[in-house]
Amino acid sequence: MPRYLTPARICSLVLIRQYQSGHTSSESSLRVLDFLATHVTASPENDVEAVSERNKFSSSDISFLAEKLSPWSSKVTGRSMYDILLKGLWALNGLDALHNLINRLNSDGVPFDEEGNPIPSKQITPGAPLGQFIRRCYVEFTRLQFADSQALWNSFLAYRAPTYEDWATKNPDAAKELQETQSLTNVPTLPGRSSADISSEVNSSSSVVDADMLLGFSIYQLQKLGTRVPGDVKAQLGKWIGDQWDSGTQSLHFFMEFFDHWRSGQYNVALESLHRYFDYSLAARTGTDNMRVYYQYALLHLSVLHADFECWDESVDAMNECIATARENQDTACLNFALSWLLYLRHAHPDKSRSSFATISGAVGSGGGEHDEIAFLKQKARDGKHWVLMSNTLLEEAKLEMFSGGSAKRAQEYILQAMYLNVLHDLQNLAPAAALFHGASHDRLGQAQLATRSYELATVVHDVHCSLNDRVRSTCRLALASALSGHYTKAMEMLNGLNPTIRGVLKLEQRIQAFATIVQLRRQLNRGDLEAASYYLNQLRPLRSFSDPEIVFEVNLLEIEFFIKQGSFEEALTKVSERIRESKGRGTDIAQRLHLLVLKSRIYVAGGQAVKGFAVALRATSTAERHLLIPVLHDGLAVLARILIDLAEYATARDLIEATLPQVLESKNVTLTAKMFVTMGEACVGFAGYCCDAGSAEHTRSMRRALELIERGRIAYQRTEDISGMLDCLLMKSKIANWGGDETTAAQADEMYMQLLADR
Ligand SMILES: *[C@@H]1O[C@H](CO)[C@@H](O)[C@H](O)[C@H]1NC(C)=O
Ligand SMILES: *[C@@H]1O[C@H](CO)[C@@H](O)[C@H](O)[C@H]1NC(C)=O
């Protein structure tokens, strides 16, 4: 592979020469200059389109140039810039001509037009981008070994060969002359040679610089978006790099492979690629100082890799080592990143023993808690103006505040601060994560609509900067919300729609699969199809050992729901007590614990021991209210109302639900809505039966109200496909209607009941 000079670059030189000598027409002049400027600068690009255009430009095919230049007119009427370029290309009749061209470009200060008049406006100063490009080409050209310059010439011939027809039809005289010289000297400058010849020269059509650029871009994308390298890019790079063992490109290639294998879930190969990357980097750059710098970053990557493959202890060990090295080298950026990573690890996996995380407190210099560590990191970030760290730490702080039962308002404030920082310092990559956090905090406040908007924000507004991981997360949350309001098919469509975009990133595939199974399991549980439910549950159970806490909690809940549906209350009670015990460890989310407590009281209610659950439900509900955990509060209130009915406190139960219902409707939890309607209907019936005089107006009113409420409950159950709920509602309806002497309604309800039973 050549270092720098390629046929495409020779084309650039020719084009520069033609631009200089005023071959461009006045309107195309700027466009040509713009085109040259984009393709001669060697700055690293992180924009997909720019990179793909450069890729096309440096490919072994001239068609990109043809397509670009053909529409631009030249000074000669009827000839496009492409024709002019071809004329210039075919005027190069040997290495000597190429040599002349480069020399002339490099030494000519002021160019001359065809009549020999100087054109000062087209002068290229050595400091300008074009001037630098020419200088670089000149230096590279003079440094070429003889064999290399021969190879360059051959690849140039192969590159321009396909344009012979285009050129010869427009320049018949020159073509004839060329034919004649060729027959005299027998120099193979014309097409007609075997295609094998040409293909072997295609190898040198791209240079180390191009490969480096493509590699750099791929790595940037891998890191930013967490995707995998597309197959064609990988093949192209493999072809370019071939067996260039000596260049620095090789080590970058391994770095790319490291990410790629990591994403595809190949732990061993990823580890090996990482080792190789650092080995080759060291070999390419000798010097002990460099080695120490590389060492800490190697450890950093190693730790992240371990963590991704659930090797927590190894990950923490590597990170501790990294921290030690970074401190020794006084690399604060690395040190702070490592500390914040450790903090994140601890939050993500709170049940790990404290000892392995001792370094954070060690660095902070106090035996203090997490608040001290966060304050320390914030201070460091502020001192070093390290805004990425600051933004991340704020989110971490918000999470801590939410999980440990702090103030929900303060958590919101931290999230908003982080979002503000992202906008202020243009940290676009962090915006999707902050939007997800914001959504989660809305969810906890029972604002389902706002939460949905926040999740959508991540993929709609921040689409270009949204990493694959955040994209999957936001879609999974949206799908779960859809399933909650009974739109199972839509939820499944959302999840399935993700599959093409993730291109075999193993972890994300597993995540999507898990969520799809969760949605199916919910649906079957609601329908009361226990056989199917147990099938899905069995698929989910093994996931608990390696999934993230969000999925684990969901699976635990569904398992308990399954037992309740099955009627095995004892088993459900054992499970729930077990989970409550587990959640007492440090660092678990307080919302989850309260949720489990409410669930426990619900099991008592379902098992006919409502009174036993009263104290638990009351305590959990009031705690949820204090911490503004609205979904748990609603759930708890529903259970409390049930218990009150069992205690014959009908009026209280009715009033309680009447006060809660509007907010529950807002939270979009259709199951809960249905339950609340039905419970309120029952409370009305009870109220009519026990607190009113038989035959009084209030009695009749209360019964009519009950009928309406139960019908609304039935409609809600229908949305979640909850068949047993619907049957219960119809039965109640029929009874109430019979009691009131409304025979048509009763007959309707009975008919629907039979129909439903038959369809089942
Ligand atoms: C070009 O690359 C192919 C493999 O892609 C290789 O077999 C061939 O030898 C190379 N040709 C030259 C001239 O280097
Ligand atoms: C929705 O309501 C059901 C029934 O009360 C409850 O079990 C479930 O946890 C609620 N879901 C959410 C996300 O609040």
Side-chain angles (χ1 to χ4, degrees), residues 16 75 81 165 172 207 220 233 277 287 405 446 486 492 616 729:
I16 291 178
K75 220 170 179 185
M81 275 316 290
E165 291 295 324
S207 63
Y220 175 79
V233 175
Y277 165 60
M492 289 307 285
V616 181
C729 287

Side-chain angles (χ1 to χ4, degrees), residues 705-725:
R705 191 152 175 227
L707 196 63
E708 272 167 28
L709 288 167
I710 285 172
E711 171 61 14
R712 292 193 64 177
R714 185 191 68 80
I715 293 172
Y717 273 133
Q718 196 170 21
R719 276 178 60 192
T720 60
E721 305 182 1
D722 189 333
I723 294 179
S724 68

Side-chain angles (χ1 to χ4, degrees), residues 203-306:
N203 293 16
S204 36
S205 71
S206 51
S207 63
V208 175
V209 177
D210 299 319
D212 253 1
M213 185 199 65
L214 191 56
L215 274 174
F217 178 72
S218 304
I219 291 171
Y220 175 79
Q221 289 286 332
L222 282 170
Q223 276 189 309
K224 182 181 139 200
L225 300 180
T227 52
R228 296 189 57 195
V229 186
D232 48 345
V233 175
K234 227 188 315 189
Q236 180 77 320
L237 279 172
K239 212 163 70 194
W240 281 359
I241 291 165
D243 41 16
Q244 293 269 316
W245 292 100
D246 50 341
S247 71
T249 309
Q250 196 70 33
S251 78
L252 268 189
H253 193 213
F254 281 120
F255 198 40
M256 190 194 78
E257 301 241 293
F258 155 65
F259 283 113
D260 199 42
H261 290 306
W262 169 4
R263 301 285 136 74
S264 67
Q266 294 170 297
Y267 176 68
N268 286 331
V269 195
L271 200 61
E272 169 137 1
S273 298
L274 184 65
H275 279 299
R276 282 189 173 190
Y277 165 60
F278 283 104
D279 289 350
Y280 278 104
S281 305
L282 287 185
R285 288 166 255 261
T286 45
T288 46
D289 269 358
N290 249 329
M291 187 166 128
R292 278 168 58 206
V293 173
Y294 268 96
Y295 187 52
Q296 77 218 25
Y297 286 103
L299 287 166
L300 200 64
H301 280 103
L302 188 65
S303 168
V304 179
L305 179 73
H306 279 316

